[in-house]
Amino acid sequence: MMEANNFIEFHNVSFRYDSADSGDGEDGENVFAVSGIDFTVKQGEFVGILGRNGSGKSTLAKLMNALLIPTSGDVYVNGMNTRDASWLWEIRKSVGMIFQNPDNQIVASTVEDDVAFGLENLGVPREEMEPRINDALSVVGLADRRLKEPHYLSGGQKQRLAIAGILAMRPSCIVLDESTAMLDPKGRDRIISIVRELNLREKITIILITHHMDEVVDCDRLFIIDKGRIIKSGTPGEIFSDEETVVGAGLELPPVCELFQRLGLLGLRPGETVLTKEAGVEFLTGVR
Amino acid sequence: MRISLGRYIPGKSLFHKADPRSKIIWTIVMMVFILLCTTRWQYLMATVFVMIVFLISGIPLKYILKSLRPVAVLMIITTVFNLVFYKGTTVLFAIGSFNVYREALFLSIKMILRIFMLIVSASLLTYTTTSVAITDGIEYLLRPLAIIKFPAHEIAMMMSIALRFIPMFADETDKIIKAQSSRGAEFDSKNVFKKIKSYVPVLIPLFVGAFKSAEDMSVAMESRCYRGGKGRTKFKVLKFTKYDLILLIITAVFCTGVILMKTVFKI
């Protein structure tokens, strides 16, 4: 049923919101938010999911920790079917979610209390909380803000606090559902570098859902989702060399790719798709 | 945004150090006592007791005055009405055709003291205790009611989240007011009805936003494994210390003292 090192498996998953609580801006009653989704994420992978607004990205995210149960098909998290209610808390403990709005996911009125919230829910003994909170806050660089009220944090700091709250629960996987969409470029970079670090050092599986292309250029694998279906998957190089599909899904190429695409029209063709500034500079100095 | 009520002022006083539970009990006892006061001796003693706690707490006087500001108008109006309309027996002096009676003067002083003491004792609690500690204390004190299926944990959780959201909604209101004024809405009309009406386009987006936030928040809480009070541990544990014992003993002594004065010495 499941390969050993697959962490998340989607088997032909479809999901339709009840007309009563319509989802991400879908209008008709019988529209599936996502349909026929089949994919796997391996333990320790860094996966990016791209899609425009209303493409079904957030629905996909919520299916990953049993906030939503598929209308048809099955989702397995570390071998546990999300349909099986007895695994519910185990699944939510191992898949942490960071949402879009920094203000709406902070529960407590001080930084340390908010990190403690998840631990309190898990019933972690008090003596164990202190070191876990310390560790989590120092990973995200908020150790000196422990006693601050969240109201006085910037948007980026709030998102880092949200990450700390999840980290303290020791998850195997973190899903970032457009968590950088409301941040300024600096805050965004910081979040991305923190999750990269977590992926490399702690081997935490990262699923980064976004529509900012430059955030995903160094993912292991990318999926493009549009109208509730996965329309393309592959490495960033493969995805961004296919401009037609990217643009067709309502997305833009990362600025560097865009630049080299245009340079290509002038006859300057690098051998492979240029994804980062550094690679671009290297190529151009080679040309000269 | 300035909200003086419910604002915590950090400090290291004995009253700060006391457990929120004993401070809540102290506040409730004082409020009940103040409302039951009848004789001037009782008023005097209540005032002295509250003032002593105020001095111990080290809260600057200006904060106390600030929290009195909203009720100042009420205090002035009741005083004026009492002085003008209350009919006693001994005339102190007359303004025009109105006689001001001695009894009226005492009544006014009592009223002012009563409102003053109520506000001061309540704000001493909120100034010296963080909102988290207050909700924790309330949760603990309501816990016995779980026998009759009273949702103590849920109510405390709702209160603490509500407190968390207050500054956020204040900011949000500010933003909406600016957005609406930039589109030509008028908020500084002198006409009261116009003024009330002009706030409708502020309240509607605020409410819609609040519901959206609440929904987001509930999803975020669920995804962090929140499942009510069962099986939950606490990061911050309330500790009953010697300061609490002292505070509660003094309060008890005070109450019995006043009752004794009333029954034995008839004052």
Side-chain angles (χ1 to χ4, degrees), chain B residues 38-96:
Chain B
T38 46
T39 71
R40 53 187 89 142
W41 282 108
Q42 289 170 348
Y43 273 102
L44 186 68
M45 288 183 62
T47 313
V48 168
F49 192 27
V50 173
M51 288 330 275
I52 288 174
V53 174
F54 161 66
L55 289 176
I56 290 173
S57 75
I59 297 296
L61 186 66
K62 66 170 186 189
Y63 285 106
I64 298 291
L65 295 179
K66 217 186 249 173
S67 59
L68 283 172
R69 202 184 297 153
V71 289
V73 181
L74 183 71
M75 282 163 93
I76 292 167
I77 291 173
T78 40
T79 311
V80 168
F81 271 76
N82 272 329
L83 288 179
V84 172
F85 295 115
Y86 191 84
K87 300 269 179 279
T89 47
T90 336
V91 179
L92 269 185
F93 56 88
I95 307 166

Side-chain angles (χ1 to χ4, degrees), chain B residues 206-222:
Chain B
L206 190 65
F207 267 87
V208 173
F211 279 109
K212 180 88 184 73
S213 297
E215 205 186 320
D216 280 1
M217 178 69 106
S218 68
V219 171
M221 285 171 74
E222 258 191 76

Side-chain angles (χ1 to χ4, degrees), chain B residues 4-265:
Chain B
S4 61
L5 192 79
R7 222 185 89 186
Y8 172 65
I9 299 165
K12 291 200 158 51
S13 74
L14 294 181
F15 201 63
H16 276 87
K17 280 182 197 153
D19 188 289
R21 287 169 294 181
S22 40
K23 282 192 271 192
I24 292 170
I25 292 173
W26 178 81
T27 308
I28 293 172
V29 168
M30 286 320 290
M31 287 180 133
V32 171
F33 184 81
I34 291 159
L35 289 174
L36 295 179
C37 272
T38 46
T39 71
R40 53 187 89 142
W41 282 108
Q42 289 170 348
Y43 273 102
L44 186 68
M45 288 183 62
T47 313
V48 168
F49 192 27
V50 173
M51 288 330 275
I52 288 174
V53 174
F54 161 66
L55 289 176
I56 290 173
S57 75
I59 297 296
L61 186 66
K62 66 170 186 189
Y63 285 106
I64 298 291
L65 295 179
K66 217 186 249 173
S67 59
L68 283 172
R69 202 184 297 153
V71 289
V73 181
L74 183 71
M75 282 163 93
I76 292 167
I77 291 173
T78 40
T79 311
V80 168
F81 271 76
N82 272 329
L83 288 179
V84 172
F85 295 115
Y86 191 84
K87 300 269 179 279
T89 47
T90 336
V91 179
L92 269 185
F93 56 88
I95 307 166
S97 56
F98 286 109
N99 289 327
V100 174
Y101 295 92
R102 210 175 104 110
E103 288 84 352
L105 187 65
F106 280 124
L107 188 70
S108 315
I109 293 175
K110 276 183 192 172
M111 282 299 289
I112 290 176
L113 268 183
R114 185 174 275 182
I115 297 172
F116 181 73
M117 288 301 119
L118 283 177
I119 299 280
V120 171
S121 50
S123 44
L124 277 177
L125 172 68
T126 55
Y127 280 146
T128 59
T129 324
T130 59
S131 49
V132 183
I134 294 178
T135 44
D136 275 359
I138 290 174
E139 181 178 356
Y140 193 92
L141 292 173
L142 291 179
R143 209 176 281 169
L145 293 179
I147 302 168
I148 55 162
K149 296 244 160 76
F150 185 81
H153 165 78
E154 282 74 8
I155 285 185
M157 180 56 82
M158 274 156 59
M159 279 179 57
S160 68
I161 291 174
L163 286 169
R164 232 279 292 139
F165 269 83
I166 287 173
M168 233 177 85
F169 286 146
D171 284 353
E172 194 64 32
T173 315
D174 243 30
K175 254 188 236 163
I176 297 170
I177 287 180
K178 278 189 189 131
Q180 302 289 32
S181 1
S182 77
R183 292 151 70 185
E186 265 186 81
F187 291 101
D188 36 15
S189 169
K190 288 270 188 312
N191 184 326
V192 182
F193 292 102
K194 266 194 188 156
K195 200 164 184 167
I196 293 172
K197 226 176 149 189
S198 72
Y199 273 88
V200 173
V202 173
L203 287 179
I204 290 172
L206 190 65
F207 267 87
V208 173
F211 279 109
K212 180 88 184 73
S213 297
E215 205 186 320
D216 280 1
M217 178 69 106
S218 68
V219 171
M221 285 171 74
E222 258 191 76
S223 79
R224 280 166 82 182
C225 295
Y226 180 70
R227 54 195 126 162
K230 261 199 190 131
R232 231 169 158 256
T233 45
K234 280 258 165 203
F235 173 50
K236 288 205 174 119
V237 174
L238 299 177
K239 265 202 207 104
F240 195 85
T241 60
K242 61 179 180 211
Y243 305 116
D244 300 290
L245 200 61
I246 295 169
L247 180 66
L248 291 184
I249 287 175
I250 292 176
T251 312
V253 168
F254 169 79
C255 290
T256 39
V258 172
I259 293 165
L260 275 182
M261 272 171 67
K262 173 118 176 139
T263 49
V264 180
F265 304 106

Side-chain angles (χ1 to χ4, degrees), chain A residues 49-53 55 57 210-211 223-226 249 251:
Chain A
I49 296 177
L50 299 168
R52 62 176 133 196
N53 287 337
S55 58
K57 300 181 300 229
T210 184
H211 53 240
F223 294 98
I224 294 186
I225 165 167
D226 197 29
L251 303 165

Side-chain angles (χ1 to χ4, degrees), chain A residues 258-270 283-284 287:
Chain A
E258 177 94 48
L259 173 69
F260 279 89
Q261 210 73 262
R262 302 232 179 127
L263 287 176
L265 297 178
L266 298 174
L268 271 177
R269 283 186 196 280
F283 169 70
L284 286 180
V287 166

